[in-house]
Structures are given as structure tokens and as C-alpha cells.
Amino acid sequence: MACIILEVIIIILFGTLVQYDDETDAKLWHQEIANGSSNYDNDFYYRYPSFQDVHVMIFIGFGFLMTFLQRYGFSSVGFNFLIAAFALQWATLMQGFVHGMHGGKIHVGIESMINADFCTGSVLISFGAVLGKTSPVQLLVMSVIEVTLFAVNEFIVLSVLGAKDAGGSMTIHTFGAYFGLMVARVLYRPNLDKSKHKNCSVYHSDLFAMIGTIYLWMFWPSFNSAVTAHGDDQHRTAMNTYYSLAACTLATYGLSAVVAHDGKLDMVHIQNAALAGGVAVGTAGEMMLTPFGSMIVGFLAGTVSVLGFKFLSPILEEKLKIQDTCGVHNLHGMPGVLGAIVGAVTAALATKDVYGDGLVCLFLTSWESVPSAGFMAISLAVTLGIALLGGLITGFILKLPIYGAPPDTICFEDGIYWELPGEEGSHEELTTVRTPDEAEKLNA
Amino acid sequence: MACIILEVIIIILFGTLVQYDDETDAKLWHQEIANGSSNYDNDFYYRYPSFQDVHVMIFIGFGFLMTFLQRYGFSSVGFNFLIAAFALQWATLMQGFVHGMHGGKIHVGIESMINADFCTGSVLISFGAVLGKTSPVQLLVMSVIEVTLFAVNEFIVLSVLGAKDAGGSMTIHTFGAYFGLMVARVLYRPNLDKSKHKNCSVYHSDLFAMIGTIYLWMFWPSFNSAVTAHGDDQHRTAMNTYYSLAACTLATYGLSAVVAHDGKLDMVHIQNAALAGGVAVGTAGEMMLTPFGSMIVGFLAGTVSVLGFKFLSPILEEKLKIQDTCGVHNLHGMPGVLGAIVGAVTAALATKDVYGDGLVCLFLTSWESVPSAGFMAISLAVTLGIALLGGLITGFILKLPIYGAPPDTICFEDGIYWELPGEEGSHEELTTVRTPDEAEKLNA
Amino acid sequence: MACIILEVIIIILFGTLVQYDDETDAKLWHQEIANGSSNYDNDFYYRYPSFQDVHVMIFIGFGFLMTFLQRYGFSSVGFNFLIAAFALQWATLMQGFVHGMHGGKIHVGIESMINADFCTGSVLISFGAVLGKTSPVQLLVMSVIEVTLFAVNEFIVLSVLGAKDAGGSMTIHTFGAYFGLMVARVLYRPNLDKSKHKNCSVYHSDLFAMIGTIYLWMFWPSFNSAVTAHGDDQHRTAMNTYYSLAACTLATYGLSAVVAHDGKLDMVHIQNAALAGGVAVGTAGEMMLTPFGSMIVGFLAGTVSVLGFKFLSPILEEKLKIQDTCGVHNLHGMPGVLGAIVGAVTAALATKDVYGDGLVCLFLTSWESVPSAGFMAISLAVTLGIALLGGLITGFILKLPIYGAPPDTICFEDGIYWELPGEEGSHEELTTVRTPDEAEKLNA
């Protein structure tokens, strides 16, 4: 029911506020054609393949990455689907508001579609932190707030401070991770170990999760390059990301075996840490980072991420009371911050000698004033501030006992929100874990 | 054996009739180059990414969507693969015949490849209606007939009546659904409840099916825009479809919880109804439907589809004796008809004021004579007529007891057509459900 | 640990040797812009979508194709991921060395990325032959050697002998298959039947494998056309491959039913033989093979491949002592040789009359001297020679007892290299099959 109300609101807002842009409107585009453009110049042909790769990352990548839990596959893929479909619409509105209207209207086209998917990605990162412990209504409420704050932060970082962050190390990953971690902190469940036996994987659920991992890994070059400038920028960003990921993967496998007691590989590391290289070149990827630099960054990101899973996550849970289901701090949080730092340093080192005429194009500025490391540092601080404060407030809103959150004993369990099929050859009775008033809340 | 004979026939026909078109023939294309074209103008670069997205929908999307049945995954993916690989070849021939030969030859290139995949999609929709109750030989026979009638209907609707239907609300979805439903009606099995325990899902089979759903959902914008005109048309079609699907998804989740007794979500709805938004903008998507209009259509489509699964499907089965395994009436039938109506209305409302010079381009006509709602209505009627009549005849042909159709007791069961592996830790004996003469028929 | 050392070496080499090419370097590209190029001319837009399709084949296609084994899914996907991420970096270096440096530097861009993925594909084919019987360290050592020899062979075939082989029938498939088969021969395990009960599939593992199959099948047109010349060449190559695969699929289904005792389909054939059509047009696909010719080749490839699985593989194992886990001889070996022969014949038949001005463009030569069948035959012989000799040496290197290879009793088992989750409702104890010194070797 919440879905329907939200959708009706969105549809009304779209009706009042949203318009085709120059490249999707029949009349306006044909005016451009009359002025000498070719249909082949339509940005559709230079952005749409990247958009579809990003789309796959959002819906398949994030969705299946979270299916590793043994009895939470329906919710992982299904709520991911729901939240993403909602957030991309809401993001179109919020980003349109904040980034500038055209005569009172929001203009939409392929770039707005990519940006909406990016914002959605941030929400899904936060979802990873609270996975298994929240109801769909809570997730929708979180999305409403997070998307709004995302748009505000993105505006401050990119437009006010003039930072560069094409792949969103700061705006997407750092923001989404720390927002989600703060929500998880506020929603801390001291008795979560009652559901502990369900907070783990089974053999096939880990294979489903690998589908998510591999798609995220493959298409991350498209993610980081999706909205960079055309030409060398987009080409270079994709390639830097590709090298960073490759180096990160080797570091992850190596370290995963080293930190284990018995030299065995841990699926959690492979599924997550191997991706940290993509996060960590989100800011610097479009710069002249070189393949060499990209690989060092990727290698560091993988290292930080595996060590985080092994040593930091238990501390976060025990000392800071942050129950981070998917370990988003290790995949998005620390690598995101690393990416912001790398971006600041790389930008500070940019010279006319290395970039040639590309300097102006990339930094949209004369070469004397590339964004200083200082501005990038301020951007990172702003991002962290808004994320943590926003997450704090959101956490308290979600704590209100009106959203049908699952009790401690039946977290990480699909049965509470989904009609489950019987199991072929199953030996445990599928206890349907719903009480009447929980059901009512779901319908709220 | 049937496969081999059919393939030999197809190869001979290709040898006699099929030629490279201007853009795939070395000599002809280099004549165009000599006349001032650039290699970058080759349509490959403006259609191939869309083609590959459509290809993924056909082989992964449809294939895995149907894996929801617990013991029919091999057949769902495997027969989908077989039928699709056959139908795309046969469709190239049939569409080539009907849409005009060039000096006695069929010309092939990226557009013929997309159109062949579209026709294949229609056959796979019909497959969904009869899933689990037909042998591969029956399916091949059905494909032969359906592809032929599809090409005829497409020719009448698009070329004779001049209707617009780029995403195939009518020609693909309505046609495929009602054709398949009529076949299912003729093949009605009164004792199908003997296989009832197999006509349902298990936990992991539903997750496999979600792979199909998500791919269909993500790439539907590519499907609807794959053959629209270059420039704003293709860009706008993709975006309209994207918004329609997003709105449809929210409506589906909301309604699925509302119509359930206990507020739980039903995987069948999520897997299918969330896609209805793509079907319903198949005709109007290339027009100036606006994001607002697209979302309303998507919302309606999701609503109709969930209600169809909940209330109409049981009636179809009990009263009309149509056993629609995948519920194609709810996903393709009703939303397809809705799409045709929306298309007719949107086309009727098209004005020079809104479309500018794009009007002529889109409707290939002077602005006084955009296809009237009347012509669109006739197109819909023709489509329904050919589909139902064709399905009726096909059903009776398939009823002949010569194709190795499965008996009522072992429908929805892979074991009859596939060598099955043993089960790890399985407790039920896998009864191999084949009798000698069934095997012979398979070899026929 | 081996991973980390290798990665550090690679990073140092990249730091010394690798540079952006003209299209990824900001300064150089903006010089081209200043000379009149457009950003839209950047090769990124004409190669990147194909690259991503190839990337999906390498990481999802090969990775999941090998998940058919019941308890080797983690290793299949995971080691595939590891080897591929390593090999693409190493291939960039080796191919850069051999194919020509620019002022002492290797230039990288989208074409080097595609070529590195191609080389990686060859290594993964060899992996298929030894799947389940090798440790990750062995696989990394194999990759180091194989990538190097691949680059040498590719240089001889393409640059010295001037053969055409855009889709790599010879350089990728024949090379990878016979290299791997020879390694498997040297690593022959007479007592492998102790692990026999694990060297088979279960129901869901076969479905995961179908994900790999279908992705390989769908994107093979992109594979074969990824590095062909722009324009008609790329367009034609994709289309020829598409028709070859379609015909191959029908032949595979038909023959699979015919060669079975009881008319049932065999998943092994469908998963593998249906792809042989892509292999077999790897050389001739860019030529004027015609759809007719492509389909004949595909039909033959499917036939050869199914018959190989049925009749030849048992002989290879019993008589020649080659334990070819995935049957790469049937999918890549014989169809690769077939493809080389078809390519030689098609090239020999090339005339100015058929190709027009495209002849010079395609064969980079005046029309009097298209590569003769003789040169193609020499290329095939060289490829086979280097593959077999290289595989022999590599096999003996891998036989050294220092890499933690699994004992005969626990081949095809993830538990030796991976932390395994418990099984939900599992009845067999998961014996952790590691001894202390095996663990140490893994850490080596």
C-alpha cells in the first residue's frame, strides 16, 4: 500500500514537473537536425550502452550480491528490485530539483537516467548494511530520505565545491556506506544472535551471490565512465577501472589465503573485496592516473578491504555496535574514502604538461585552478557529515514501531514477507513466521 | 531427428534465397564508402548493442523466467534455446518473403536479425502458455506455423494498415499470447492435476526465475527501441519504457501485498506483473507519450496484471479450460491489448505542435494523416483474429498423437526428455519416466 | 601469496613499460581533436560494447560453464575469476612486447583490452581440460607460461605468416585446447576414479552451467567481430557467427537425441556442442562466407562436437590417457581445426569480384596475394606445434610436487581450497579435506 501511495505521488509530480530534454523531444531534436545535427549525434548512442551496464549492476549486481544469505534470496533480489525501481524515480525528481530546473521543468534524457541509477546505487549500499533486519516499508522510508540527502550532497560537492567525482567514490560509495552504517548503528539489535543461524550462506546461495559479484566487477568500468566527458576521458576512465579491478582481485585472493588459518579462500572476501578496486578509482579514474597508478590503488583497496573483513568488522560489531550485514564498510566505506584521497592527490598533481588541452576539458577550468586537494578534502568531509547526520536521523525515524520490522528471532528470513514454496525433499518444516499484526503492518 | 531435417531444409533455403545486404556485403559497402560514407555510419554501430540486449531477453530472459517450476528447469532453458535458435532462422526466411524480396533475394543485416528475434519472442510467449505439457517436436511444429502467421500478421498490420508498433504490443505480445492460449485451450488436459505436485516452484527455482525477470525488465527499453528510427525516437522510446517499468514495479509490489490474505508478497506477481509495463508501452513508447503518460500506463499494466493472476487465471482454467502455465494472458495478453489501445489514442492525439518536424519522421506521413485510432483498432482486431484462428488450427495439429507429448501424470517433469543427474543427498528416487514408445517418438 | 608476488611484479612492469595510447591519453587525444577529429570518433564508441560482451563471456561464460560439477562451483567460478584477472594483465605485457613497442613503451587502449581478454580465453580453455585436478598455484603457473607462448604464436601466425584469424579459431581455440590437453596428458592420474562420484553434475549445478552456455552463445558474434575492421567487416562477422551458432544448435539437439539409447537429450552436449559453431567460424567469419556457408559450418561443427563427446572422449581417456574434464577437445579442439580449414578454403576462394574494394581492406593486401590456403595450413601447423610442445613442458613443470595439487581422492571438490558453508538440511558430513601441509602449500 505504501508503494501505491508513493507511486501516485511520484506520478503526479512527474506530470507537473518533468519534460523531455532536447534529445528526447521530437520537436526540439528535429530543430537541432534542421540546424545541421545528425541523428547519429544523439547522445543516446554514446551513453546508452554504458547506462545499460550500470542498470545491470544496480538490478543484477547489487540484487544477487546480497543473495548469499541462505533464506533471504527472495528479499535480497526482490527488495533490491523494489527499492531500486522506486529510488530511480525519486532520484530523477530530487536531482532535477537540486541541479537546476529549466523554466520550472526538470529535463530528462539518458544522462538523468544514469544519474538516477547512480543515486539508486547509493541507497542499495545502505541497504546492504541493514540487510535482513528491515521491512520493505522501512526500506522505502529510508530511500525517500537518503535520495533527497544524496541529491543535496551531490550538489554541494560537484556544483558548489567544484570537485570531480565521476565514479562517485565520495558521492555514491562513501555517502551510501556511512549513511547505512549509521542507520544500522541506531537500529542495533542486541539480541540479533537469536537469528544467527540464518545469518550465513549455503553452497548454492554463494553461487548466486557470485553472479552479482562478477557482474559488478565486469561492468564497473562502465559505471565509472558513464558520465565522464566523451572521447579520451570516457575511454581512459574505463581502462583505469579495468586495471584497478584486476590488480585488486589478485590482492584479494592472495590476502584471503594469507589471513585464513589454514590457507583456504573465503567466499566473503572474493565476493566483496575483489570489487573494492572499482570503488577506489571512482574519483581519480578519469584523470591521468596511468595504468600503473590504477593498479596500485586497486591493490591497496583490495588489501584494505580484506583486512577490514577479517579484523575491523568484528570490532565494529562488538565495540561500536554496528551490525553491518554485507560488510559495506569494507567494500564501499574505506575504499570510498581511499578513492577520495587518491582523487585529491591526483587532481593536485595535474599539470598542463601531462594533460595538454585535455586539462581544461576535464577540470572545466583554466589550468591554474584545478580543484585543489583542499577542496577535495572539504568535499569528503561534507559527504561524511551529511551521511552520518542523515543516517542518524533516518535511523531514529525507522526505529518507530510502525513499519513491521522483523523481530530479533526471525531476521534474515524470507518467510516473513514472502509466500514461500514448499521444499522438494526438505526435512525442516518451513515455519511461517508471521503474526497477524505483523501482516497488518506490511499492509500499512 | 526433426531438428536435423528442419535445419537441412533451412540451410537449403538460405543457400537459394538469402544474401548480405548493403551494409554487410564487402563489395556493396565499399561502393558506399567510395560514395562518401564512413565506416562509422554502418548501422551495426547504432543497432547492435540494442540487438544484443534483445538477444539476452530472448535466451536468458524468457529461458530463465520459465525455470520457476521445480523439475522443469532443463526443459525451460533448453527448449527455449532450441525453439529460439530454430525460430530466428525460420523468421528470417518468412519475414523476408513477406516484407519484400530484392530481386528474388532476401537481404539480411542487423535489422533482419532484430526482427527475427522479435518474432522468436512471440513464439516463446506461446511456449509459456503450454509450458510443461508439450514435447520438443510439438514445440518445433508450433514454431513453424506460428512464425509464418506472425510474419503475415506483421505485414498486414505494419505495411498494409500502416499501424505503428515498434515494441510489438500488438504484433508480438498480443499475437503470441492469444495464439498460445488458444493452443493451450485445444490441448486442454482434464486430468492435469495428476501432475499438480510438480506444477509449482521450489526456493532455488524461483531465484533462477528472477534472473530471467530482471534481465527482461532491464533490457525492455532496448527491446522497444531496437527498431525505432534513429535519434530522438530511439532515445525517447527507451526512456518511456524505463519509466513505465519503474511505475509498474511499484504498482505490482503494492497490489501483490494488498490482494494477499496476509500481506505477503507473491513471487509469481513479482516475476511477471512487474514486466507488464514494458508490454503496455510497446506501441506508444516511440510517441510523445511523456514520462507522465508512460508511468500511468505502467501503473495500469501492473494493476491489470496482478489482478489477472489473482482473479482471472483461476476463471480461465475452470470455466474456459485454458491451462496457462506461465500466466501469459496476464503478462502479455491483457497488457498487450492495453498497449494497443494506448497506442491508438496517443497516435490519434499526435499534432504538429507537439512533434514538430518529428511528426513526419515518426509516422512516415504528412501530418494530416497520422494513423487514426480506427486503423489501430482494425490492426488489433486482425491480430487477435489471426492469433486465435491460427492457435486453433495449430492446437488441433499438435493434438495428433505422433509427437511424443507427455502423459498427464508426468507433465512438468524434465526426466522424460533429459538424462538427469543423480541428486546429492536426495531422498526420492528419480523415477525415469520414459516408456519405450515415447522414446521412439522423440527420435521421430 | 603467489598472487601477491605476481601482482607486485606486474605492477612494477606496468610502471616501467605501459603508457596510454593516442586515444586514452589526454594530451595526445586533444592534439587529434585540434587536428580535426571529433570526440565521437574515439574508438571507445566502436569497440567498447563488443569488449564488454567479450568480458562477459570470459568471466560469466567460461566461469559458469564449468560450474556443472556438483561440488566444484566455487572453484570453477572463483579460479576462473582469479586466472582471468591475472592473465589479462600478463597478456597486456606479453602481447605488447611481441607485437611491437612504441619507443620502448607498450601502448594500451580498448584494442589491447580486447586482445588481452582473447588471450585469457585461451588460458581458460586449457583450464577446462584440467578442471578439478589442479591447485590455484598450478593454474597461475600454467597461465604465466601459456600467455607467453600464446603471444609468440599469435605473432607468428598473424604478423609473420600474415594469416587472418579475427575470432581465433587457430590462435585461441586450437591453441588453448591442445595446450590444455597436453597438460592433462602429462598430469594423467591413473587413480582418478577414486573421485569419480564427484566428477558429475547435480540438477542445479547444470542450471548454473546453462547460464555460462547461453552467455557464450549469445555474445559469440561479439567475440568474433570484436577486433575485425570497422564497417561491413564487423557487421558481417557478427552475422555469420549468429547464423553458424543457430544452425549448430539445431544439429546439436538433433544428434544428441539420436546418439542416446533412449532418445533423451544430454545436458553435456547442449552445454558444449551448441557452441562449436562459434568456434568454427572464428577464422572465416569476417570473410564473405555467406549465411549459407556459415550455417553449413555451424551444422558440421555441432555434429563433430556431439560425436566427439559420445565416441571420441572415452577413447581419449582410455587409450591416450587424456582426462579432459570439460571436453575441450570437442568444443574447442576439433571445431577450432575445422575453423582453420574453413578459413583457409574461404580465403583461397576470395576474389575481387565478390569482395570489390573490400578485398584490399580485409586482407590488407593487393588482390593478387590473398593469404593462400598454404599459409593458413602452415599457421595451423605452427599453432598445433607450439601448443603441444608448450603443453608438454608446462605439464612437467606442473608435475613438480610443490604446488599443493589435490590428491586423487579429493579431486573435483571445493572443500580443499574454500571455506565451505554448512548445508541447510544436509545429510552428509562435509569432511574438510585438508591436511596441514596442503594448507602450507596453498600459502606458498
Side-chain angles (χ1 to χ4, degrees):
Chain A
M1 193 52 105
C3 300
I4 295 174
I5 295 167
L6 282 172
E7 187 57 42
V8 169
I9 294 172
I10 285 176
I11 291 179
I12 293 168
L13 288 172
F14 263 74
T16 349
L17 291 168
V18 174
Q19 259 181 1
Y20 290 124
D21 71 5
D22 293 4
E23 305 209 326
T24 43
D25 187 274
K27 191 178 187 178
L28 296 176
W29 179 252
H30 280 269
Q31 283 169 6
E32 298 208 12
I33 295 284
N35 293 334
S37 284
S38 153
N39 272 323
Y40 294 152
D41 295 337
N42 196 296
D43 210 25
F44 180 77
Y45 301 105
Y46 302 93
R47 297 267 182 225
Y48 187 71
S50 304
F51 162 73
Q52 275 298 1
D53 290 350
V54 172
H55 221 40
V56 171
M57 293 174 71
I58 296 295
F59 287 88
I60 289 283
F62 281 104
F64 278 88
L65 182 60
M66 296 188 279
T67 56
F68 70 97
L69 292 170
Q70 56 174 293
R71 294 295 296 178
Y72 211 62
F74 286 18
S75 302
S76 297
V77 176
F79 295 165
N80 186 83
F81 186 21
L82 170 63
I83 301 168
F86 166 72
L88 64 86
Q89 298 177 70
W90 189 245
T92 305
L93 292 170
M94 291 300 119
Q95 292 177 320
F97 281 136
V98 178
H99 291 293
M101 320 263 284
H102 304 259
K105 296 287 183 179
I106 294 165
H107 281 191
V108 291
I110 189 68
E111 273 205 63
S112 78
M113 289 162 71
I114 296 172
N115 281 318
D117 265 30
F118 277 2
C119 177
T120 298
S122 200
V123 176
L124 298 177
I125 291 167
S126 304
F127 177 35
V130 299
L131 186 75
K133 301 167 296 188
T134 38
S135 72
V137 178
Q138 281 180 303
L139 294 171
L140 285 172
V141 172
M142 184 179 88
S143 304
V144 171
I145 306 173
E146 183 169 0
V147 165
T148 312
L149 293 175
F150 177 96
V152 170
N153 179 62
E154 188 184 40
F155 177 72
I156 295 174
V157 168
L158 301 187
S159 302
V160 177
L161 295 170
K164 299 291 298 177
D165 194 15
S169 290
M170 283 182 281
T171 55
I172 301 169
H173 299 286
T174 306
F175 183 85
Y178 288 98
F179 186 97
L181 290 167
M182 189 52 101
V183 172
R185 173 66 192 83
V186 179
L187 298 182
Y188 178 69
R189 290 165 180 263
N191 299 316
L192 190 61
D193 53 359
K194 287 181 184 167
S195 297
K196 201 180 177 181
H197 59 293
K198 279 177 191 147
N199 186 9
C200 56
S201 64
V202 290
Y203 193 73
H204 278 144
S205 71
D206 268 328
L207 271 184
F208 278 113
M210 279 304 283
I211 297 176
T213 297
I214 302 278
Y215 271 104
L216 288 169
W217 195 92
M218 293 187 301
F219 289 161
W220 217 295
S222 305
F223 189 94
N224 284 349
S225 67
V227 293
T228 54
H230 289 309
D232 63 306
D233 287 37
Q234 212 165 354
H235 198 157
R236 183 172 56 248
T237 313
M239 193 166 66
N240 285 339
T241 307
Y242 162 89
Y243 284 124
S244 176
L245 286 163
C248 179
T249 303
L250 273 282
T252 299
Y253 273 85
L255 263 178
S256 181
V258 167
V259 300
H261 294 302
D262 52 7
K264 289 191 188 179
L265 296 163
D266 188 330
M267 259 291 165
V268 173
H269 302 160
I270 308 305
Q271 282 161 5
N272 292 279
L275 300 169
V279 175
V281 293
T283 304
E286 62 182 322
M287 305 174 194
M288 288 290 285
L289 182 57
T290 76
F292 175 57
S294 306
M295 290 162 93
I296 293 177
V297 174
F299 191 88
L300 288 177
T303 306
V304 165
S305 191
V306 171
L307 296 177
F309 273 103
K310 183 75 184 176
F311 303 109
L312 198 56
S313 283
I315 297 175
L316 283 186
E317 177 151 0
E318 280 161 41
K319 308 287 176 190
L320 298 185
K321 300 187 187 306
I322 297 174
Q323 293 155 330
D324 177 7
T325 313
C326 294
V328 300
H329 188 244
N330 309 307
L331 170 49
H332 301 280
M334 291 188 295
V337 172
L338 174 64
I341 296 168
V342 170
V345 173
T346 315
L349 294 176
T351 62
K352 176 88 181 169
D353 188 46
V354 170
Y355 289 77
D357 294 340
L359 190 69
V360 180
C361 177
L362 176 56
F363 294 108
L364 295 169
T365 171
S366 63
W367 70 271
E368 292 91 353
S369 60
V370 294
S372 69
F375 267 111
M376 299 290 263
I378 296 173
S379 298
L380 179 58
V382 168
T383 300
L384 283 169
I386 295 181
L388 291 171
L389 192 64
L392 186 75
I393 295 166
T394 307
F396 280 108
I397 293 173
L398 297 187
K399 224 174 174 173
L400 301 174
I402 56 174
Y403 307 109
D408 290 347
T409 47
I410 42 178
C411 285
F412 313 113
E413 169 58 54
D414 277 335
I416 189 168
Y417 300 117
W418 298 86
E419 301 280 357
L420 289 188
E423 282 296 302
E424 178 195 26
S426 168
H427 292 241
E428 31 174 19
E429 282 295 301
L430 275 174
T431 47
T432 44
V433 284
R434 182 196 43 78
T435 65
D437 57 13
E438 278 159 22
E440 261 166 48
K441 280 173 200 159
L442 286 172
N443 256 333
Chain B
M1 195 50 105
C3 301
I4 294 174
I5 295 167
L6 282 172
E7 188 58 41
V8 170
I9 294 171
I10 286 176
I11 291 179
I12 293 168
L13 289 172
F14 264 72
T16 347
L17 290 168
V18 174
Q19 259 182 0
Y20 291 125
D21 70 6
D22 292 4
E23 307 210 325
T24 44
D25 186 273
K27 191 176 187 178
L28 297 176
W29 178 252
H30 280 269
Q31 283 170 4
E32 298 207 11
I33 295 284
N35 293 335
S37 284
S38 154
N39 273 321
Y40 295 153
D41 295 337
N42 195 295
D43 210 27
F44 180 77
Y45 302 105
Y46 302 93
R47 298 267 183 224
Y48 187 71
S50 304
F51 162 72
Q52 275 298 3
D53 291 352
V54 172
H55 221 40
V56 172
M57 293 174 72
I58 295 295
F59 287 89
I60 289 282
F62 281 105
F64 278 89
L65 182 60
M66 295 188 280
T67 58
F68 69 97
L69 292 170
Q70 55 173 294
R71 293 297 293 179
Y72 212 62
F74 286 17
S75 302
S76 297
V77 176
F79 294 165
N80 187 84
F81 186 21
L82 170 64
I83 300 169
F86 166 73
L88 64 86
Q89 298 177 69
W90 190 245
T92 305
L93 292 170
M94 291 302 119
Q95 292 177 320
F97 280 135
V98 177
H99 292 294
M101 320 263 284
H102 305 258
K105 296 287 182 178
I106 294 166
H107 281 191
V108 291
I110 189 67
E111 273 205 63
S112 77
M113 289 162 70
I114 297 173
N115 281 319
D117 266 30
F118 277 1
C119 177
T120 299
S122 200
V123 176
L124 298 177
I125 292 166
S126 304
F127 177 34
V130 299
L131 186 76
K133 300 167 296 188
T134 39
S135 73
V137 178
Q138 282 181 303
L139 294 170
L140 285 172
V141 172
M142 184 179 88
S143 303
V144 171
I145 306 173
E146 183 168 2
V147 165
T148 311
L149 293 176
F150 176 95
V152 171
N153 180 61
E154 190 184 39
F155 177 72
I156 296 174
V157 168
L158 302 187
S159 302
V160 178
L161 294 171
K164 300 291 296 179
D165 194 14
S169 290
M170 283 182 282
T171 54
I172 302 169
H173 299 287
T174 305
F175 183 84
Y178 287 99
F179 186 98
L181 290 167
M182 188 51 99
V183 172
R185 174 65 192 83
V186 178
L187 298 182
Y188 178 69
R189 288 165 180 264
N191 298 316
L192 191 61
D193 54 358
K194 287 182 184 166
S195 297
K196 199 179 180 182
H197 59 293
K198 280 178 191 146
N199 186 8
C200 56
S201 63
V202 291
Y203 193 73
H204 279 145
S205 71
D206 268 329
L207 271 184
F208 278 112
M210 280 303 283
I211 296 176
T213 297
I214 302 278
Y215 271 103
L216 288 169
W217 195 91
M218 293 187 302
F219 290 162
W220 217 294
S222 304
F223 188 94
N224 283 349
S225 67
V227 292
T228 54
H230 288 309
D232 63 305
D233 286 35
Q234 212 166 354
H235 198 158
R236 183 172 56 248
T237 312
M239 193 166 67
N240 285 340
T241 308
Y242 162 91
Y243 284 123
S244 176
L245 286 163
C248 179
T249 303
L250 273 281
T252 299
Y253 273 86
L255 262 178
S256 181
V258 167
V259 299
H261 294 303
D262 51 7
K264 288 191 187 179
L265 295 164
D266 188 331
M267 259 292 163
V268 173
H269 302 160
I270 308 305
Q271 282 162 5
N272 292 280
L275 300 169
V279 175
V281 294
T283 304
E286 63 181 322
M287 305 175 194
M288 288 290 285
L289 182 58
T290 77
F292 175 58
S294 305
M295 291 162 93
I296 292 177
V297 174
F299 191 88
L300 288 177
T303 306
V304 165
S305 191
V306 172
L307 296 179
F309 274 104
K310 184 74 185 178
F311 302 109
L312 198 56
S313 283
I315 295 175
L316 283 186
E317 178 152 0
E318 281 161 41
K319 307 286 177 195
L320 297 184
K321 301 187 187 306
I322 298 174
Q323 293 156 328
D324 177 7
T325 312
C326 294
V328 300
H329 188 245
N330 308 307
L331 169 49
H332 300 280
M334 291 188 293
V337 172
L338 174 64
I341 296 168
V342 171
V345 173
T346 314
L349 294 176
T351 62
K352 176 91 182 167
D353 189 46
V354 170
Y355 289 76
D357 293 341
L359 190 68
V360 180
C361 176
L362 176 57
F363 293 108
L364 296 169
T365 171
S366 63
W367 69 270
E368 292 92 349
S369 59
V370 294
S372 69
F375 268 110
M376 300 290 261
I378 296 172
S379 298
L380 180 59
V382 168
T383 301
L384 283 170
I386 295 180
L388 291 171
L389 192 64
L392 187 73
I393 295 165
T394 308
F396 280 108
I397 294 173
L398 298 187
K399 225 173 175 174
L400 301 175
I402 56 172
Y403 308 108
D408 290 347
T409 46
I410 42 177
C411 286
F412 314 114
E413 169 59 53
D414 276 335
I416 189 169
Y417 301 116
W418 297 87
E419 300 281 355
L420 288 188
E423 281 296 302
E424 179 193 26
S426 168
H427 291 243
E428 33 175 17
E429 283 295 303
L430 275 173
T431 47
T432 44
V433 283
R434 183 196 42 77
T435 64
D437 57 13
E438 277 158 26
E440 260 165 50
K441 279 172 200 160
L442 287 172
N443 256 333
Chain C
M1 193 51 102
C3 300
I4 294 174
I5 295 167
L6 281 173
E7 186 59 40
V8 170
I9 294 171
I10 285 177
I11 291 179
I12 293 168
L13 289 172
F14 264 74
T16 349
L17 290 168
V18 174
Q19 259 182 1
Y20 290 125
D21 70 5
D22 293 3
E23 306 211 324
T24 44
D25 186 273
K27 193 178 184 176
L28 297 176
W29 179 252
H30 280 269
Q31 283 169 5
E32 297 209 11
I33 295 285
N35 293 334
S37 283
S38 153
N39 273 322
Y40 295 152
D41 294 337
N42 196 295
D43 210 25
F44 180 78
Y45 302 106
Y46 302 93
R47 297 268 184 224
Y48 187 70
S50 303
F51 162 72
Q52 275 298 2
D53 291 350
V54 172
H55 222 39
V56 171
M57 293 174 71
I58 296 295
F59 288 89
I60 289 284
F62 282 105
F64 278 89
L65 182 60
M66 296 188 280
T67 58
F68 69 97
L69 292 170
Q70 56 173 293
R71 294 296 294 179
Y72 211 62
F74 287 18
S75 302
S76 297
V77 176
F79 295 164
N80 187 83
F81 187 20
L82 170 63
I83 300 169
F86 166 73
L88 63 86
Q89 299 176 68
W90 190 246
T92 305
L93 293 169
M94 291 302 118
Q95 292 177 319
F97 281 134
V98 178
H99 291 293
M101 321 262 286
H102 305 259
K105 297 286 184 182
I106 293 165
H107 281 191
V108 291
I110 188 67
E111 272 205 64
S112 77
M113 291 162 71
I114 296 173
N115 281 318
D117 267 30
F118 277 1
C119 177
T120 299
S122 198
V123 176
L124 298 177
I125 291 166
S126 304
F127 177 33
V130 299
L131 185 76
K133 301 167 296 189
T134 39
S135 73
V137 178
Q138 282 180 305
L139 294 171
L140 285 172
V141 172
M142 183 179 88
S143 304
V144 171
I145 306 172
E146 183 169 1
V147 165
T148 311
L149 293 176
F150 176 96
V152 170
N153 180 61
E154 189 185 38
F155 176 72
I156 296 174
V157 168
L158 302 188
S159 302
V160 178
L161 294 171
K164 300 291 297 178
D165 194 14
S169 289
M170 283 181 281
T171 56
I172 302 169
H173 299 286
T174 305
F175 183 85
Y178 288 98
F179 186 99
L181 289 166
M182 188 53 98
V183 172
R185 173 64 192 83
V186 178
L187 298 181
Y188 178 68
R189 289 164 180 264
N191 299 314
L192 190 62
D193 54 358
K194 288 182 184 166
S195 296
K196 201 180 178 182
H197 59 293
K198 280 174 190 149
N199 187 8
C200 56
S201 64
V202 291
Y203 193 73
H204 278 145
S205 71
D206 267 328
L207 270 184
F208 278 112
M210 279 302 283
I211 296 176
T213 297
I214 302 278
Y215 271 104
L216 288 169
W217 195 92
M218 292 187 301
F219 290 162
W220 217 293
S222 304
F223 189 93
N224 284 349
S225 67
V227 293
T228 54
H230 289 308
D232 62 307
D233 287 35
Q234 212 165 355
H235 199 157
R236 182 172 57 248
T237 313
M239 194 166 66
N240 285 340
T241 308
Y242 162 90
Y243 284 123
S244 175
L245 286 163
C248 179
T249 304
L250 272 281
T252 300
Y253 274 85
L255 262 177
S256 181
V258 167
V259 300
H261 293 303
D262 51 7
K264 289 190 188 180
L265 295 164
D266 188 331
M267 259 292 166
V268 173
H269 302 160
I270 308 305
Q271 282 161 5
N272 293 280
L275 300 169
V279 175
V281 292
T283 304
E286 63 182 322
M287 304 174 195
M288 289 290 286
L289 183 58
T290 76
F292 175 58
S294 306
M295 291 162 92
I296 292 176
V297 174
F299 191 89
L300 288 177
T303 305
V304 165
S305 192
V306 171
L307 296 178
F309 274 103
K310 184 73 184 178
F311 303 108
L312 198 56
S313 283
I315 296 176
L316 283 185
E317 179 152 359
E318 281 160 42
K319 309 285 177 192
L320 298 184
K321 300 187 188 306
I322 298 173
Q323 293 156 329
D324 176 7
T325 312
C326 294
V328 302
H329 188 245
N330 309 307
L331 170 48
H332 301 280
M334 291 187 294
V337 172
L338 174 64
I341 295 169
V342 170
V345 174
T346 316
L349 295 176
T351 62
K352 177 91 182 167
D353 189 46
V354 170
Y355 288 77
D357 293 342
L359 190 68
V360 180
C361 177
L362 175 58
F363 293 107
L364 297 168
T365 172
S366 63
W367 70 271
E368 291 92 352
S369 60
V370 294
S372 68
F375 268 110
M376 300 290 263
I378 297 173
S379 298
L380 179 59
V382 169
T383 300
L384 283 169
I386 296 181
L388 291 171
L389 192 64
L392 186 75
I393 296 166
T394 306
F396 281 107
I397 293 174
L398 297 186
K399 223 174 175 174
L400 301 175
I402 57 173
Y403 309 108
D408 290 347
T409 47
I410 41 179
C411 286
F412 314 114
E413 168 59 55
D414 277 334
I416 189 169
Y417 300 116
W418 298 87
E419 301 279 356
L420 289 188
E423 281 296 301
E424 179 194 25
S426 168
H427 292 243
E428 32 174 18
E429 282 295 302
L430 274 174
T431 48
T432 44
V433 282
R434 183 197 41 79
T435 66
D437 57 14
E438 278 160 21
E440 260 165 50
K441 280 173 200 159
L442 286 172
N443 257 332

